Amino acid sequence: MRRRIDSRLAEQIVAEATRVLPFDVNVMDETGSILASSDLSRIGSLHRGAQIALSNGCDWEVDTAMAARTPKVKPGVNMPLLVNGEVWGAIGLTGDPDEVRHYGKLMQVLAQMILERETLTVELRRNHRHREDLVLQLINAQQTFTTTELENAANRFGVDTTAFWFVIVCEFATPQAPLSDVIDAAANAQSILNQRAPDCLSARVSQRELVILDSTSAASVDPRHVADLAKARLVAIENLLDSACKLPFKVAIGVGLTGISAFNHSWKSARATLKAGTARATDARERCFSFYDHRLFSALSSWADTWQAKELLRPLAQLKARDRAGGELLETLKIWYRNARQNNESAAELGIHRNTLDKRLRRIEELSGLTLSRTEDYILLYIALQLDCL
């Protein structure tokens, strides 16, 4: 099926031609209808010379004598426009063929270059959309696709599911910014990623969330240093995004895994890490979070508002409700955990006597109903403290 040249491309070709040529220029579609012309009165009419050139698949010249014998025909040259061996339309220059012939060949080459560039651009856009669709399918693990179908789709785009994959989530952290600015920021980020990290895949999950798939050879991964690898990958992506984005953003990297299920697993852990890291950040400017720094908190983040979370939080809620010292016991508990439950170090950080710390810890036990010397109880209260931050 023949493809049409649209008016936008035809006008672009005519504009390029009239900048340098003193002759009238016409661009026709595959039927010979004039789409654009330096003589505006001819737009929309059929061009007989172009129809002949299109029918024969070669140049067709009309001299002055032939034009005089043929109604509504002007002298000139008409040449078919071919893209990848397919006739898309024709271009014509009005004038004595001996005068315009060489100019016509140059304009034919220029027009075909413009059309070929457009074809490549459209193909790149289509390929980009397909790659984005694949990313969304992989991270969502959609039920409409089997594992085999997802693996086949990944293979078609050169995605090695046996590699070691990380999913990185970027969130544009400026809710008040106009949506158009957010869209531009995401587009710029993807453009930079495509240029400087072509092995990465990316897709927009929502208006403010960009997801990036990054990989390395599974054989090169040392399990003892996965956390360092994740941090290095995260910082590299952060630097790329920083060079592309004018809006503030936050990034989080999920757990690194192999296999077709790695994408969904890593994406979920990256989102949980972003939520947990943001909640626990002591500096509002902190924007980089790794799953390996927030494992427990990332896992707990999915418990928010569940009955399990409410039960775990109950002892802490009792402590907070009964603490008459304005949060003194809660702060003491946090410092005690931060010092790995070492009483001397905790008392020193609090600036109190060791005996005072012991009294506070006993009071914490009374109010919470838990015994801090019992493994299960001090773990439960520690988890409750983390849930309380989310």
Side-chain angles (χ1 to χ4, degrees), residues 119-317:
T119 302
L120 179 59
T121 300
V122 169
E123 187 61 32
L124 288 173
R125 287 174 182 164
R126 184 182 297 114
N127 186 57
H128 178 70
R129 286 197 300 271
H130 289 330
R131 287 166 69 89
E132 280 206 325
D133 289 343
L134 173 65
V135 170
L136 296 176
Q137 291 167 13
L138 290 173
I139 65 172
N140 285 302
Q142 296 178 355
Q143 297 299 318
T144 51
F145 297 94
T146 66
T147 297
T148 300
E149 288 172 333
L150 284 175
E151 287 176 341
N152 290 339
N155 289 335
R156 283 198 297 273
F157 284 92
V159 176
D160 182 5
T161 57
T162 67
F164 196 80
W165 286 92
F166 292 104
V167 174
I168 299 169
V169 170
C170 172
E171 181 183 89
F172 297 98
T174 313
Q176 68 272 22
L179 181 58
S180 59
D181 290 352
V182 176
I183 292 173
D184 288 344
N188 289 338
Q190 286 188 287
S191 178
I192 290 294
L193 285 167
N194 290 338
Q195 294 172 29
R196 302 187 190 175
D199 292 334
C200 289
L201 298 172
S202 63
R204 272 176 279 185
V205 178
S206 68
Q207 293 175 345
R208 299 189 180 278
E209 181 181 339
L210 179 68
V211 64
I212 303 159
L213 275 54
D214 188 19
S215 69
T216 189
S217 169
S220 66
V221 176
D222 185 337
R224 298 169 298 177
H225 303 299
V226 172
D228 293 335
L229 175 62
K231 190 68 174 179
R233 294 284 177 155
L234 181 61
V235 170
I237 293 297
E238 178 198 18
N239 290 336
L240 285 179
L241 294 175
D242 195 42
S243 67
C245 297
K246 296 181 179 179
L247 293 181
F249 64 89
K250 296 180 180 180
V251 285
I253 191 167
V255 59
L257 296 166
T258 61
I260 198 68
S261 63
F263 305 100
N264 178 255
H265 191 145
S266 187
W267 177 55
K268 288 180 177 177
S269 64
R271 298 186 88 187
T273 298
L274 184 63
K275 179 180 179 182
T278 300
R280 298 182 68 239
T282 56
D283 187 341
R285 294 170 297 179
E286 190 174 354
R287 64 179 183 179
C288 230
F289 309 102
S290 171
F291 167 79
Y292 296 94
D293 295 331
H294 301 275
R295 293 189 197 216
L296 176 61
F297 318 103
S298 300
L300 291 175
S301 67
S302 62
W303 280 15
D305 300 322
T306 64
W307 71 266
Q308 293 96 331
K310 291 176 182 177
E311 287 307 311
L312 288 170
L313 283 165
R314 193 181 301 280
L316 184 63

Side-chain angles (χ1 to χ4, degrees), residues 28 34 49 57 83 93 97 100 149 164 196 229 244 323-324 376:
M28 284 69 66
I34 300 177
V83 178
L93 270 68
V100 302
E149 288 172 333
F164 196 80
R196 302 187 190 175
L229 175 62
D323 185 359
R324 306 297 184 192
E376 182 177 331

Side-chain angles (χ1 to χ4, degrees), residues 16-159:
E16 291 291 336
T18 53
R19 281 195 311 111
V20 295
L21 296 181
F23 313 106
D24 278 336
V25 179
N26 306 297
V27 175
M28 284 69 66
D29 66 13
E30 71 274 17
T31 69
S33 176
I34 300 177
L35 294 173
S37 174
S38 54
D39 180 355
L40 299 181
S41 66
R42 301 191 68 182
I43 296 176
S45 62
L46 287 174
H47 194 292
R48 180 57 183 160
Q51 289 180 316
I52 296 173
L54 290 166
S55 177
N56 296 337
C58 58
D59 299 352
W60 180 261
E61 297 184 354
V62 178
D63 58 22
T64 303
M66 185 184 299
R69 296 193 303 269
T70 310
K72 299 182 180 181
V73 171
K74 295 183 178 182
V77 296
N78 301 283
M79 296 147 288
L81 297 174
L82 282 75
V83 178
N84 297 326
E86 181 183 21
V87 177
W88 276 35
I91 186 169
L93 270 68
T94 302
D96 187 317
D98 289 337
E99 294 181 13
V100 302
R101 183 180 298 117
H102 296 300
Y103 295 109
K105 297 307 293 183
L106 289 173
M107 289 312 307
Q108 181 188 34
V109 171
L110 174 62
Q112 289 178 162
M113 288 176 61
I114 291 173
L115 296 176
E116 287 169 357
R117 183 182 62 193
E118 178 71 10
T119 302
L120 179 59
T121 300
V122 169
E123 187 61 32
L124 288 173
R125 287 174 182 164
R126 184 182 297 114
N127 186 57
H128 178 70
R129 286 197 300 271
H130 289 330
R131 287 166 69 89
E132 280 206 325
D133 289 343
L134 173 65
V135 170
L136 296 176
Q137 291 167 13
L138 290 173
I139 65 172
N140 285 302
Q142 296 178 355
Q143 297 299 318
T144 51
F145 297 94
T146 66
T147 297
T148 300
E149 288 172 333
L150 284 175
E151 287 176 341
N152 290 339
N155 289 335
R156 283 198 297 273
F157 284 92
V159 176

